[in-house]
């Protein structure tokens, strides 16, 4: 992995220009690919890095601000109305969510064993939910953000492309309506936060982002700039203390653009070759997780009486925006699907740092045990043919 140069005032100005161009590109392909405002800038940054046009990172302040705003966005997904709607089925839904976490860990183990990938990158890459948040905190968790992004958005693309067709196959009677925006509410194009009172929403957004980041640092949370605002936003949403503060429209597009561009600028030709070699294995692991989640949906539908199409959309491994758009266009149960997806998204983002730390401790204890065992035998690192 190459070392990126430290940003200077001149490079910051160049980065701002590239950021604006990347944002325009993301806007242009919005109707063509999922997560366009992240993937478009990522591609633009990749081209800049590989061609040598620009190899400097995003300014540290921009990264911290984008993480804090993204944390607020993740926390705002946990809508009380949606959680109340699924409360009667909380036990089977919790079991399905836990099973999805286990599936991700098993797939990560497969990538570590067969692909030679490091544990942190494999685990984050296979986390089924919160793609943008997982990518944003990958570096802080000592994972390779390029590999994590590649795996996360390969899954998002697969889910987004297949969900409408699979829903039609599972439930041919599904009715198609005009798509609506996230959480079933169409946002006006000029809004930068989700509420009708923009100034009040922006003030709440800024307060939650700043106070959450400070609290995350004081509590020594992993990824404090993201998890602190996420937890504070979820708490404020759950108790009704604030609402209408989630980033949307141009502001949301901007923070996704910052994250995508920063990841793209980290690539090199050698990284692209490595990703290409891993593609078959990652695609196989992603497909297996998607099929396993579909099987879980069938079990969930049989156990709870939820329509099979709704159960499938509620349990798809990530791609919440594409899933909610599909649910809205096919007449699905939006409160159910939104509640399950947002709960899992929240839990995945919260659990990711904890799982990384737990796996790191497990690996370290295993290595210490191996060294102790070898020392007791006196034959570690040797065989009949000499040093290994």
């Amino acid at each position: 992995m190459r070392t990126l140069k430290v940003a200077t005032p001149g490079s910051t100005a160049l980065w701002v220009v590239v950021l604006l161009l990347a944002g325009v590109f993301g806007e242009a392909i919005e109707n063509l690919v999922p997560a366009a405002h992240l993937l478009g800038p990522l591609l633009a940054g990749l081209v800049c890095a590989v061609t040598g046009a620009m190899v400097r990172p995003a300014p540290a302040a921009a990264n911290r601000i984008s993480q804090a705003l993204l944390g607020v966005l993740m926390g705002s997904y946990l809508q009380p109305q949606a959680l109340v709607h699924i409360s009667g089925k909380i036990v089977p839904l919790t079991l399905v969510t836990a099973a999805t976490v286990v599936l991700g860990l098993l797939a990560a183990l497969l990538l570590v064993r067969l692909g030679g990938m490091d544990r942190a990158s494999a685990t984050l890459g296979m986390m089924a939910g919160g793609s943008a948040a997982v990518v944003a905190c990958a570096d802080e968790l000592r994972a390779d953000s390029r590999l994590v992004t590649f795996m996360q958005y390969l899954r998002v693309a697969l889910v987004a492309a297949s969900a409408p067709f699979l829903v039609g196959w599972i439930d041919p009677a599904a009715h198609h309506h005009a798509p609506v925006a996230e959480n079933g509410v169409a946002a006006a194009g000029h809004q930068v936060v989700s509420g009708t009172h923009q100034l009040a929403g922006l003030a709440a957004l800024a307060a939650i982002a700043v106070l959450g980041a400070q609290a995350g640092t004081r509590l020594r949370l992993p990824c404090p700039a993201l998890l602190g605002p996420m937890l504070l936003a979820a708490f404020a949403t759950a108790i009704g203390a604030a609402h209408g503060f989630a980033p949307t429209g141009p502001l949301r597009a901007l923070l996704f653009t910052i994250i995508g561009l920063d990841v793209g600028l980290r690539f090199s030709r050698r990284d692209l070759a490595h990703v290409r070699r891993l593609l078959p294995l990652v695609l196989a692991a992603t497909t297996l997780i998607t099929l396993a989640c579909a099987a879980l949906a069938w079990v969930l539908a049989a156990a709870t009486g939820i329509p099979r199409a709704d159960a499938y959309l509620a349990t798809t491994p990530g791609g919440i925006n594409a899933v909610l758009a599909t649910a809205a266009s096919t007449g699905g149960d939006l409160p159910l699907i939104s509640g399950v997806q947002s709960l899992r998204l929240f839990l995945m983002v919260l659990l990711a740092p904890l799982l990384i730390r737990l796996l790191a401790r497990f690996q370290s204890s295993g290595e210490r045990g191996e060294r102790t065992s070898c020392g007791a035998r006196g034959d570690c690192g040797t065989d009949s043919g000499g040093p290994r």
Side-chain angles (χ1 to χ4, degrees):
M1 186 183 300
R2 61 182 174 172
T3 302
L4 295 174
K5 299 177 182 179
V6 178
T8 62
S11 68
T12 300
L14 176 61
W15 180 83
V16 171
V17 172
V18 174
L19 176 71
L20 294 175
L21 295 175
V24 171
F25 179 54
E27 186 71 24
I29 63 172
E30 184 177 9
N31 296 323
L32 302 177
V33 298
H37 288 110
L38 192 146
L39 294 183
L42 187 152
L43 180 60
L46 186 151
V47 171
C48 288
V50 171
T51 59
M54 181 179 178
V55 293
R56 297 180 185 274
N63 267 333
R64 287 194 297 270
I65 292 171
S66 64
Q67 283 196 30
L69 295 182
L70 186 60
V72 175
L73 176 63
M74 296 294 115
S76 70
Y77 275 106
L78 218 58
Q79 294 292 327
Q81 301 91 333
L83 297 180
V84 169
H85 188 75
I86 66 174
S87 60
K89 303 178 179 68
I90 195 65
V91 173
L93 291 174
T94 300
L95 291 175
V96 167
T97 301
T100 305
V101 174
V102 172
L103 287 171
L105 292 175
L106 291 176
L109 180 61
L110 180 72
L111 293 176
V112 171
R113 293 288 177 84
L114 300 182
M117 196 177 297
D118 66 279
R119 225 175 260 271
S121 299
T123 302
L124 289 180
M126 288 291 109
M127 294 294 287
S131 302
V134 168
V135 168
C137 67
D139 286 329
E140 290 188 44
L141 297 175
R142 299 183 180 179
D144 189 331
S145 59
R146 298 160 296 190
L147 286 177
V148 173
T149 304
F150 165 62
M151 291 186 285
Q152 282 286 335
Y153 284 96
L154 180 64
R155 189 191 70 250
V156 168
L158 183 63
V159 170
S162 62
F165 300 102
L166 288 175
V167 168
W169 176 71
I170 293 170
D171 184 7
H175 301 288
H176 291 265
H177 307 286
V180 297
E182 203 167 289
N183 293 332
V185 179
H190 65 277
Q191 290 184 333
V192 292
V193 289
S194 55
T196 54
H197 302 288
Q198 294 296 286
L199 290 179
L202 280 171
L205 171 62
I208 293 173
V210 172
L211 294 176
Q214 290 177 346
T217 301
R218 291 188 178 184
L219 294 174
R220 297 184 179 179
L221 293 176
C223 304
L226 186 141
L227 290 187
M230 186 183 83
L231 292 172
L232 185 56
F235 178 72
T237 301
I239 66 173
H243 56 84
F245 55 77
T248 191
L251 181 57
R252 177 175 167 172
L254 175 62
L255 73 94
F256 276 22
T257 299
I258 293 172
I259 295 169
L261 180 60
D262 186 55
V263 172
L265 289 172
R266 298 173 186 272
F267 275 91
S268 66
R269 289 187 179 91
R270 186 175 61 182
D271 299 326
L272 291 177
H274 183 50
V275 165
R276 188 169 60 248
R277 287 194 299 271
L278 287 173
L279 176 59
L281 181 59
V282 173
L283 183 59
T286 301
T287 303
L288 286 175
I289 286 182
T290 304
L291 292 175
C293 286
L296 288 174
W298 184 85
V299 174
L300 179 65
T304 62
I306 296 173
R308 287 194 295 271
D310 289 344
Y312 168 73
L313 289 174
T315 57
T316 52
I320 185 170
N321 294 336
V323 167
L324 292 181
T326 301
S329 65
T330 57
D333 187 342
L334 269 175
L336 169 74
I337 296 165
S338 173
V340 177
Q341 284 280 350
S342 59
L343 180 61
R344 189 182 63 197
L345 178 151
F346 185 86
L347 291 175
M348 289 292 185
V349 176
L350 189 61
L351 286 174
L354 302 177
L355 288 173
I356 295 296
R357 286 184 171 184
L358 182 63
L359 291 172
R361 288 179 183 177
F362 177 78
Q363 184 177 18
S364 298
S365 63
E367 291 174 352
R368 285 196 300 270
E370 183 179 349
R371 287 195 296 268
T372 302
S373 176
C374 289
R377 294 196 311 266
D379 59 357
C380 187
T382 60
D383 57 17
S384 56
R388 291 180 181 172

